[in-house]
């Protein structure tokens, strides 16, 4: 049987989260003896990148009725294409929205925000995020169909090249399936790296004193190919957009590298970033709690340290 | 307009999370419980719609008697009445089944929930409610207007925002942005007094079956000690990130 994976794309291109979901599905398939089938909705990119992470088959769905996202329509498509016991989705905004609908349609048990490969596939046993990263929960699904969502950047990308095949799939979806009508889409400029997908994140807090000082944060981020983020008060005062706020009440992220500049490290902030692999803290207050949860730290003034860091990164990148 | 606001009672955001010694359960000892922060944004939006458009607000929580103080707080903030479904609320599908039943029987136009509970981080209940009732669903909602029998909602999408419209009945999962932080209400004395006498009814739960079992919990491994780099030797940090941490 096949494990179905939703290979999410944006403007025709696969998201990193799609490759992570395929990697995760492949890790189950290797244990269960299943194959991996990826479902691509209105993607224009070649399927090669999905084969690289272990997709044996790619089902290409193209439909005008799926041009805009709607939870009901997307759940319907995946339910129709299902041909095994397991469906894997990335824990993106969109996929997290239709996951419960899909679980209902397929009579499946839903498990969200998985962080590691299952230790056992029958019964399915795996770890997931709980208590905003302050705990790890192990769950077991005793039997039956499953819809699983995989936390972004947690399991990561695992290359596993196979020679796959592509097919186009017909689905019976129409505009009438969508219960919501999209009126307007505002997309930030496409050269911005999405915060949840980013491997490196440069983040600023109240220690930066004002929005006019974000230039150096953005410059550092650009040099590192990183996304930018902020603490909550910074978004509340309006220095930065809400969409950049990370933490317990903002986004939860798990990049390879998180650089916190002028952030004290309150427990609610840590809750959103404690999944990061490596944490760097820059803060003049040696007693700032963040240093206790960091891998590397510089006790110093951001206005002195960050420009130097920018120079050093330039040197490193030039080398 | 009738709005059902789903409130989950969760450990205070500053709470240290501990598990029972057998690792099977979350240890509630000494933990303060609060309205789930995402739900607070949704509740506040509902109260605004009550003030400006005459909405009637019912709060629902699935939980044992220990959740009632949190429900009273929601009443103090402005909800008109409350329903508690008397049951242990561990499973997302189970919770959604209870809420769906109440939403349908009460004929609510809008079911307003939060994007996720900050305890179990399921992000499941609102979608399940929408699915069970076959209502329209907007997740990650950061803006909501109501006109007649329809809504216009803004939802967060990766890298942007999307505006959608739908007709009643709808399920909306809100988050910060639905109202601003500064608009959140702190219950005043009058609200607290009024909340004492507002109706809070208790109903029994509908049973569901579940194939999901919690095996246990552990705390994440703590990081080793921090390596401090001198502020006059920033190049060393770049070297460490490249050679030791291997992240750049
Ligand atoms: C219900 C609730 C939910 C919350 N959710 C979140 C959340 O999701 N995310 C979040 O971030 N917070 C959240 N908070 C807020 C949290 O408690 C902290 O208040 C917040 O994280 C502090 O932000 P900050 O570190 O930017 O500011 P501050 O705590 O003011 O810290 C500023 C830091 O900058 C340092 N500094 C000063 N000058 C400089 C300089 N020149 N260079 C470098 N550093 C300097 C200071 O030493 C200090 O450590 C929440 C709070 C509540 C009550
Ligand atoms: N026990 C509960 N009682 C009432 N509403 C709940 C309960 N659990 C979750 N919800 C609602 O569903 C949202 C998402 O919760 P969850 O699916 O648990 O992450 C919460 O923000 C609440 O609005």
């Amino acid at each position: 049987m096949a494990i179905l994976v939703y290979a999410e794309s944006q403007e025709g291109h696969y998201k990193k989260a799609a490759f992570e979901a395929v990697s995760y599905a492949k890790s189950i398939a290797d244990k269960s003896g299943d194959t991996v089938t990826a479902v691509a909705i209105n993607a224009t990119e070649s399927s090669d990148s999905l084969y690289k992470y272990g997709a044996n088959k790619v089902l290409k769905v193209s439909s005008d009725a799926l041009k805009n996202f709607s939870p009901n329509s997307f759940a319907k498509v995946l339910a129709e294409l299902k041909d095994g016991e397991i469906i894997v989705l990335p824990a993106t905004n969109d996929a997290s929205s239709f996951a419960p609908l899909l679980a209902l349609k397929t009579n499946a048990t839903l498990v969200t925000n998985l962080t590691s490969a299952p230790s056992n596939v029958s019964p399915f046993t795996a770890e997931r995020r709980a208590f905003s990263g302050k705990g790890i929960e192990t769950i077991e699904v005793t039997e039956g169909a499953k819809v699983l969502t995989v936390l972004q950047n947690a399991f990561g990308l695992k290359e596993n090249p196979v020679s796959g095949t592509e097919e186009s799939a017909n689905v019976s979806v129409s505009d009438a399936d969508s219960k919501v009508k999209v009126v307007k889409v505002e997309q930030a400029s496409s050269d911005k790296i999405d915060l949840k997908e980013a491997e490196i994140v440069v983040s600023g807090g109240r220690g930066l004193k004002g929005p006019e000082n974000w230039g150096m944060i953005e410059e550092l981020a650009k040099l590192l190919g990183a996304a930018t983020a902020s603490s909550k008060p910074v978004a509340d005062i309006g220095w930065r957009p809400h969409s950049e706020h990370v933490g317990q009440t903002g986004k939860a992220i798990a990049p390879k590298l998180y650089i916190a500049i002028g952030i004290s490290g309150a427990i609610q902030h840590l809750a959103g970033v404690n999944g990061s692999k490596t944490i760097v803290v820059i803060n003049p207050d040696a007693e700032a709690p963040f240093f206790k949860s960091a891998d590397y730290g510089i006790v110093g003034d951001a206005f002195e340290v960050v420009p130097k860091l920018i120079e050093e990164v330039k040197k490193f990148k030039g080398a | 307009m009738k709005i059902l606001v789903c409130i989950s009672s969760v450990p205070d955001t500053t709470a240290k999370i501990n598990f029972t010694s057998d690792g099977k359960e979350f240890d509630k000892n000494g933990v303060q419980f609060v309205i789930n922060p995402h739900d607070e944004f949704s509740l506040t939006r509902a109260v605004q719609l009550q003030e400006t458009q005459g909405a009637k607000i019912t709060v629902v929580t699935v939980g044992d008697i220990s959740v009632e103080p949190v429900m009273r707080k929601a009443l103090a903030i402005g909800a008109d009445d409350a329903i508690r479904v008397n049951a242990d609320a561990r499973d997302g599908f189970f919770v959604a089944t209870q809420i769906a039943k109440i939403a349908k029987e009460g004929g609510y136009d809008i079911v307003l929930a939060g994007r996720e509970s900050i305890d179990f981080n399921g992000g499941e209940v609102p979608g399940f409610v929408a699915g069970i009732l076959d209502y329209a669903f907007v997740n990650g909602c950061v803006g909501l207007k109501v006109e007649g029998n329809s809504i216009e909602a803004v939802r967060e999408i990766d890298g942007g925002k999307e505006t959608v419209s739908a007709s009643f009945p709808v399920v909306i999962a809100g988050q910060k942005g639905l109202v601003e932080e500064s608009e959140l209400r702190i219950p005043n004395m009058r609200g607290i007094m009024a909340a004492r006498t507002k109706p809070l009814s208790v109903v029994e739960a509908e049973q569901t079956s579940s194939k999901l079992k919690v095996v246990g919990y552990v705390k994440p491994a703590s990081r080793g000690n921090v390596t401090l780099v001198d502020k006059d030797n920033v190049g060393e940090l770049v070297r460490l990130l490249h050679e030791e941490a291997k992240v750049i």
Side-chain angles (χ1 to χ4, degrees):
Chain A
M1 281 194 296
I3 298 173
L4 207 66
V5 188
Y6 171 51
E8 187 165 324
S9 59
Q10 190 166 11
E11 279 150 22
H13 295 283
Y14 296 116
K15 290 188 173 175
K16 189 175 130 208
F19 304 136
E20 288 179 339
V22 171
S23 302
Y24 192 88
K26 175 70 177 162
S27 80
I28 305 174
D30 283 343
K31 285 191 179 160
S32 64
D34 291 306
T35 58
V36 175
T37 299
V39 176
I41 298 180
N42 289 338
T44 47
E45 189 178 328
S46 139
S47 297
D48 291 350
S49 51
L50 297 173
Y51 305 148
K52 188 165 113 189
Y53 295 99
N56 304 91
K57 189 153 100 181
V58 174
L59 293 177
K60 290 222 146 179
V61 177
S62 23
S63 160
D64 277 345
L66 300 167
K67 235 167 97 189
N68 284 314
F69 175 73
S70 119
N72 295 77
S73 314
F74 279 54
K76 186 173 179 200
V77 169
L78 277 123
E80 268 184 34
L81 297 175
K82 168 183 186 221
D83 94 77
E85 288 273 86
I86 298 180
I87 305 182
V88 177
L89 315 174
T92 53
N93 279 332
D94 284 2
S96 300
S97 303
F98 73 73
L101 305 180
L102 180 59
L104 288 173
K105 278 185 199 293
T106 56
N107 215 347
T109 300
L110 174 63
V111 186
T112 57
N113 297 328
L114 287 159
T115 52
S116 62
S119 58
N120 195 356
V121 288
S122 184
F124 183 87
T125 313
E127 291 178 339
R128 61 180 298 281
R129 174 182 161 86
F131 295 97
S132 307
K134 297 179 208 168
I136 299 166
E137 181 182 51
T138 302
I139 56 83
E140 186 183 295
V141 182
T142 48
E143 55 169 349
K146 291 162 269 290
V147 170
L148 313 172
T149 78
V150 184
L151 199 70
Q152 283 163 275
N153 274 337
F155 177 73
L157 296 170
K158 308 264 188 304
E159 283 188 28
N160 233 319
V162 296
S163 59
T165 55
E166 182 182 301
E167 274 173 35
S168 58
N170 284 320
V171 287
S172 61
V173 64
S174 73
D175 287 335
D177 291 307
S178 174
K179 292 183 173 291
V180 291
K181 204 172 125 234
V182 174
V183 183
K184 190 167 75 182
V185 180
E186 295 159 81
Q187 201 77 49
S189 64
S190 55
D191 62 327
K192 266 244 170 197
I193 295 162
D194 184 68
L195 182 51
K196 289 194 104 170
E197 299 232 306
E199 302 254 312
I200 303 180
V201 173
V202 181
S203 186
R206 205 145 54 177
L208 288 168
K209 318 282 188 234
E212 66 281 5
N213 298 324
W214 246 263
M216 60 183 188
I217 301 293
E218 296 203 320
E219 187 179 354
L220 180 60
K222 197 151 186 226
L223 278 169
L224 291 168
T228 53
S230 84
S231 68
K232 175 169 173 282
V234 161
D236 290 340
I237 331 167
W239 293 356
R240 300 296 291 177
H242 283 310
S243 56
E244 277 198 7
H245 148 210
V246 293
Q248 191 145 22
T249 53
K251 289 196 168 70
I253 56 171
K256 270 197 325 208
L257 173 60
Y258 182 72
I259 305 180
I261 304 170
I263 303 175
S264 58
I267 191 163
Q268 297 100 340
H269 185 85
L270 296 177
V273 301
N274 51 15
S276 311
K277 181 165 172 273
T278 299
I279 294 180
V280 173
V281 170
I282 300 172
N283 194 312
D285 176 8
E287 301 297 315
F290 221 147
F291 284 115
K292 290 204 179 65
S293 305
D295 301 287
Y296 301 98
I298 294 182
V299 179
D301 184 332
F303 299 97
E304 218 179 287
V305 174
V306 177
K308 282 191 200 160
L309 185 54
I310 288 172
E311 287 317 307
E312 292 297 335
V313 172
K314 275 186 188 159
K315 264 196 248 166
F316 167 75
K317 294 275 172 182
Chain B
M1 179 191 340
K2 289 180 73 179
I3 305 180
L4 184 66
V5 180
C6 310
I7 301 265
S8 116
S9 162
V10 299
D12 175 44
T13 56
T14 56
K16 291 253 186 314
I17 300 298
N18 290 307
F19 302 106
T20 52
S21 53
D22 61 1
K24 294 268 187 228
E25 271 175 79
F26 165 54
D27 184 356
K28 292 184 177 172
N29 253 319
V31 174
Q32 170 96 25
F33 282 77
V34 297
I35 299 178
N36 184 42
H38 300 294
D39 305 355
E40 209 173 331
F41 290 99
S42 293
L43 174 64
T44 306
R45 186 68 193 113
V47 172
Q48 290 172 345
L49 290 168
Q50 178 195 53
E51 289 166 352
T52 56
Q53 291 175 249
K56 186 172 175 300
I57 307 170
T58 302
V59 160
V60 61
T61 302
V62 181
D64 60 24
I65 192 158
S66 69
V67 303
E68 287 195 1
V70 161
M71 300 182 74
R72 289 278 173 210
K73 183 173 175 202
L75 290 168
I77 288 172
D80 298 296
D81 56 14
I83 303 170
R84 177 169 71 84
V85 181
N86 186 31
D88 180 37
R90 179 53 200 91
D91 184 85
F93 175 70
F94 170 80
V95 171
T97 303
Q98 316 310 323
I99 295 174
K101 183 164 179 261
I102 287 167
K104 185 156 186 226
E105 287 175 359
Y108 292 91
D109 304 303
I110 304 178
V111 179
L112 206 49
R115 185 191 72 203
E116 70 170 15
S117 306
I118 62 163
D119 51 0
F120 296 101
N121 303 114
E124 302 179 5
V125 170
F128 270 139
V129 172
I132 293 168
L133 296 172
D134 202 22
Y135 288 3
F137 178 43
V138 182
N139 199 14
C141 183
V142 292
L144 174 67
K145 280 191 251 168
V146 183
E147 228 187 276
N149 287 334
S150 57
I151 59 124
E152 189 169 275
V154 182
R155 80 173 181 107
E156 203 174 77
I157 56 173
D158 294 336
K161 279 180 183 175
E162 185 180 272
T163 308
V164 302
S165 65
S167 309
F168 287 170
V170 295
V171 177
I172 290 178
Q175 61 183 48
K176 183 177 160 198
L178 188 51
V179 300
E180 292 302 319
E181 182 82 15
S182 55
E183 294 173 275
L184 293 178
R185 312 275 170 111
I186 297 157
N188 57 23
M189 212 31 171
R190 224 176 98 222
I192 294 168
M193 295 304 286
R196 287 194 189 153
T197 52
K198 283 182 181 172
L200 191 164
S201 53
V202 180
V203 299
E204 289 309 313
E206 201 72 350
Q207 290 314 308
T208 62
S209 71
S210 172
K211 300 190 177 81
L212 193 63
K213 237 172 69 185
V214 175
V215 179
Y217 299 92
V218 290
K219 289 195 184 190
S222 61
R223 281 169 207 274
N225 283 338
V226 59
T227 303
L228 289 179
V229 174
D230 192 272
K231 66 177 166 35
D232 296 317
N233 191 12
V234 176
E236 174 67 2
L237 177 64
V238 176
R239 189 191 69 78
L240 287 168
L241 291 177
H242 180 59
E243 291 176 13
E244 192 177 85
K246 299 190 169 63
V247 289
I248 60 171

